């Protein structure tokens, strides 16, 4: 009997459109002989919707999503059902539409890749693909992520960070810290965002102020990083769980000078450069650099306790390698890094689902109750509770 897979995509995030593309690519390539797909679309207002029109990308382009039903899921352990939204049924309240055996979250960025969706799935006690709450939240927050990497002696560029409130109250103090600790040029980034949105390079004080004003529109937490000049960006994906890991081929994006923009990453992803290429796979790097990147990728993956697949992005300056960031929900699940190794998109999804089931079964071995007659030992009325 085929298992039912809920593919969740969209979301209240500036990366909404990218998520739709990833979700539909997963649906298109999933092994239909093993799994039945239930598309679950979170629109920009945060409504959860399902319907057959979600299966055709043309309907998104032409805004023909007319058959959608609003649904809810319940954060109740072992309740894997999809219900019609109770407000849509006047007489009988919510109604069961379907049930799901496993979930593939394909929501990028805020309210999806940051651990929020993963927390819901944990409360539902249902298998799901990708990193858990901790890995997702740490991987999303660039400040916490770099702090964790530093604690494992993994190489990251120098940085400082601050809250939006501090900038609004004392801009001069922030600027002074940047100039004294980092100098110019620097990159200014929202701490919790992806797809290069809100990121600006600043080469002087005037540009720094402008860059921060842009970044604080997207996040209350800002990170400023020392620029690595004239680097090569090399990316490598990791697949697996615990220490049972393997690395993909390395890629080098082409046609960028200082920063890969949103358009570079997605709008031009299906176009070719002057020599017919947008990226080089495998990247043309020395064997010792390749081996160093593969090992650092695994270490970064384990440092945040990730599982499933993640893509780790590096900056390479001659013989120096820096971890730029880890993407716990890479666009299109980074299938293009695995296909040249003989792992098709379908096989990649199969392996991700198998990992989800294995790690779920492992979690069920944990004890979730501890029998102790604590209530009889405490008298709250006499203020004798000592815990």
């Amino acid at each position: 009997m085929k298992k039912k897979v809920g593919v969740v995509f969209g979301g209240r995030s500036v990366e909404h459109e990218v998520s739709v593309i990833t979700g539909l690519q997963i649906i298109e390539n999933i092994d239909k002989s093993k799994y039945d797909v239930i598309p679950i679309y979170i629109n920009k207002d945060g409504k959860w919707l399902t319907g057959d029109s979600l299966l055709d990308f043309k309907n998104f382009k032409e805004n023909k999503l007319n058959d959608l039903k609003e649904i809810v899921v319940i954060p109740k352990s072992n309740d894997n059902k999809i219900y019609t939204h109770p407000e849509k049924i006047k007489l009988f309240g919510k109604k069961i539409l379907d049930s799901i055996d496993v979930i593939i979250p394909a929501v990028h960025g805020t309210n999806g890749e940051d651990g929020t969706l993963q927390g819901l799935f944990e409360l539902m006690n249902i298998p799901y693909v990708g990193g858990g709450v901790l890995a997702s939240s740490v991987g999303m927050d660039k400040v916490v992520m770099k702090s964790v990497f530093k604690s494992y002696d993994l190489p990251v560029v120098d940085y400082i960070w601050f809250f939006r409130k501090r900038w609004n109250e004392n801009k001069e103090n922030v600027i002074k810290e940047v100039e004294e600790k980092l100098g110019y040029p620097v990159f200014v980034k929202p701490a919790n965002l992806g797809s290069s949105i809100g990121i600006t390079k600043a080469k002087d004080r005037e540009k720094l102020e402008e860059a921060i004003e842009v970044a604080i529109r997207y996040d209350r937490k800002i990170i400023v990083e020392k620029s690595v000049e004239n680097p090569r960006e090399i990316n490598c994906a990791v697949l697996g769980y615990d220490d049972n890991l393997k690395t993909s081929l390395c890629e080098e994006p082409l046609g960028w000078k200082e920063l890969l923009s949103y358009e570079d990453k997605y709008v031009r992803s299906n176009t070719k450069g002057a020599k017919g290429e947008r990226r080089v796979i495998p990247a043309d790097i020395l064997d010792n650099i390749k081996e160093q990147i593969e090992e650092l990728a695994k270490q970064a993956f384990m440092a945040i306790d990730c599982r499933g697949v993640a893509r780790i992005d590096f900056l390479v300056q001659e013989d120096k390698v820096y971890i730029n960031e880890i993407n716990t929900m890479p666009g299109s699940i980074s299938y293009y890094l695995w296909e040249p190794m003989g792992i098709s998109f379908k096989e990649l999804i199969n392996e991700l689902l198998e990992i989800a089931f294995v790690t779920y079964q492992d979690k069920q071995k944990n004890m979730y109750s501890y029998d102790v007659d604590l209530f009889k030992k405490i008298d709250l009325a006499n203020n004798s509770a000592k815990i």
Side-chain angles (χ1 to χ4, degrees):
M1 185 175 180
K2 292 195 287 187
K3 292 187 179 297
K4 295 184 178 181
V5 181
V7 180
V8 183
F9 57 95
R12 294 183 63 242
S13 166
V14 294
E15 298 179 75
H16 179 96
E17 286 77 10
V18 181
S19 171
V20 170
I21 293 169
T22 295
L24 293 184
Q25 285 183 319
I26 291 171
I27 290 171
E28 181 180 346
N29 289 279
I30 201 166
D31 190 341
K32 306 299 194 301
S33 68
K34 292 183 178 181
Y35 303 105
D36 287 327
V37 175
I38 300 171
I40 301 173
Y41 172 57
I42 305 175
N43 70 11
K44 292 186 177 182
D45 294 325
K47 292 181 179 179
W48 289 48
L49 306 159
T50 192
D52 289 340
S53 62
L54 294 171
L55 300 173
D56 189 343
F57 185 51
K58 182 175 67 175
N59 293 327
F60 285 88
K61 287 186 171 185
E62 300 175 358
N63 195 24
K64 292 183 177 179
L65 303 173
N66 301 320
D67 68 332
L68 303 187
K69 296 179 181 178
E70 188 172 357
I71 61 171
V72 293
V73 294
I74 298 175
K76 176 184 175 184
S77 185
N78 300 317
D79 189 341
N80 63 343
K81 298 177 182 63
I82 297 173
Y83 299 93
T84 302
H85 196 288
E87 292 181 1
K88 306 302 176 183
I89 301 178
K90 305 278 186 188
L91 296 177
F92 305 106
K94 64 181 184 295
K95 168 175 94 167
I96 297 174
L97 279 181
D98 217 323
S99 60
I100 45 183
D101 298 300
V102 60
I103 294 174
I104 302 180
V107 179
H108 298 300
T110 313
N111 299 312
E113 193 176 351
D114 56 4
T116 50
L117 268 184
Q118 290 76 10
L120 171 61
F121 303 148
E122 290 286 346
L123 291 174
M124 293 172 66
N125 193 31
I126 188 171
Y128 62 93
V129 164
V133 176
L134 177 67
S136 300
S137 57
V138 172
M140 191 70 189
D141 189 313
K142 294 179 177 65
V143 175
V144 177
M145 174 186 68
K146 289 180 184 292
S147 178
V148 170
F149 289 163
K150 284 180 68 175
S151 73
Y152 280 87
D153 293 323
L154 302 179
V156 296
V157 299
D158 293 335
Y159 66 93
I160 64 111
W161 68 276
F162 55 91
F163 291 119
R164 179 166 50 204
K165 181 174 181 288
R166 181 185 170 201
W167 171 252
N168 290 332
E169 292 178 349
N170 197 334
K171 296 180 181 181
E172 284 299 320
N173 181 271
V174 173
I175 292 172
K176 181 179 179 182
E177 184 179 6
V178 171
E179 293 178 336
E180 289 182 352
K181 293 185 177 180
L182 303 178
Y184 297 106
V186 293
F187 280 101
V188 180
K189 305 177 180 181
N192 292 277
L193 211 59
S195 297
S196 299
I197 295 170
I199 299 177
T200 311
K201 186 175 184 179
K203 299 180 180 180
D204 54 43
R205 177 175 287 207
E206 180 182 357
K207 293 298 182 182
L208 175 64
E209 291 190 48
E210 292 176 2
I212 293 174
E213 290 294 339
V214 170
I216 62 174
R217 297 176 189 175
Y218 294 99
D219 197 0
R220 59 184 273 274
K221 193 175 183 181
I222 307 302
I223 184 169
V224 182
E225 300 173 353
K226 179 68 177 176
S227 173
V228 177
E229 292 299 277
N230 302 312
R232 297 173 68 183
E233 178 174 332
I234 306 295
N235 304 328
C236 180
V238 176
L239 176 66
Y241 62 97
D242 293 349
D243 59 356
N244 181 24
L245 307 175
K246 57 187 172 187
T247 54
S248 72
L249 295 178
C250 293
E251 70 158 332
E252 179 176 12
L254 297 179
W256 67 288
K257 293 182 179 180
E258 296 180 339
L259 173 67
L260 277 172
S261 68
Y262 184 95
E263 288 78 9
D264 291 330
K265 289 184 175 181
Y266 303 112
V267 177
R268 302 188 185 110
S269 63
N270 294 318
T271 63
K272 295 182 178 181
K275 296 183 179 180
E277 298 173 322
R278 194 186 72 90
R279 53 168 65 98
V280 174
I281 303 174
D284 184 14
I285 51 179
L286 296 174
D287 287 344
N288 66 310
I289 297 295
K290 171 179 171 290
E291 292 167 2
Q292 186 178 352
I293 286 173
E294 289 174 346
E295 181 58 29
L296 287 172
K298 290 180 181 179
Q299 291 181 32
F301 191 92
M302 288 190 290
I304 68 167
D305 194 19
C306 200
R307 65 175 183 256
V309 69
R311 193 191 72 237
I312 298 85
D313 300 344
F314 296 86
L315 298 174
V316 178
Q317 187 184 55
E318 296 180 354
D319 61 343
K320 294 182 180 179
V321 178
Y322 302 94
I323 300 176
N324 189 31
E325 64 180 359
I326 184 169
N327 300 274
T328 57
M329 183 55 63
S332 302
I333 316 296
S334 66
Y335 76 91
Y336 53 89
L337 294 176
W338 300 99
E339 280 192 332
M341 299 174 64
I343 302 174
S344 69
F345 202 165
K346 180 186 291 185
E347 291 168 333
L348 176 62
I349 296 170
N350 277 342
E351 190 156 352
L352 290 173
L353 288 166
E354 288 169 10
I355 291 170
F357 288 121
V358 168
T359 54
Y360 173 80
Q361 291 301 326
D362 192 36
K363 188 182 73 170
Q364 303 314 303
K365 298 174 184 177
N366 297 342
M367 291 182 60
Y368 291 95
S369 65
Y370 182 67
D371 295 328
V372 59
D373 203 5
L374 185 60
F375 293 159
K376 291 184 178 180
K377 297 178 181 179
I378 294 177
D379 186 357
L380 294 179
N382 295 322
N383 296 318
S384 61
K386 295 180 180 180
I387 299 176

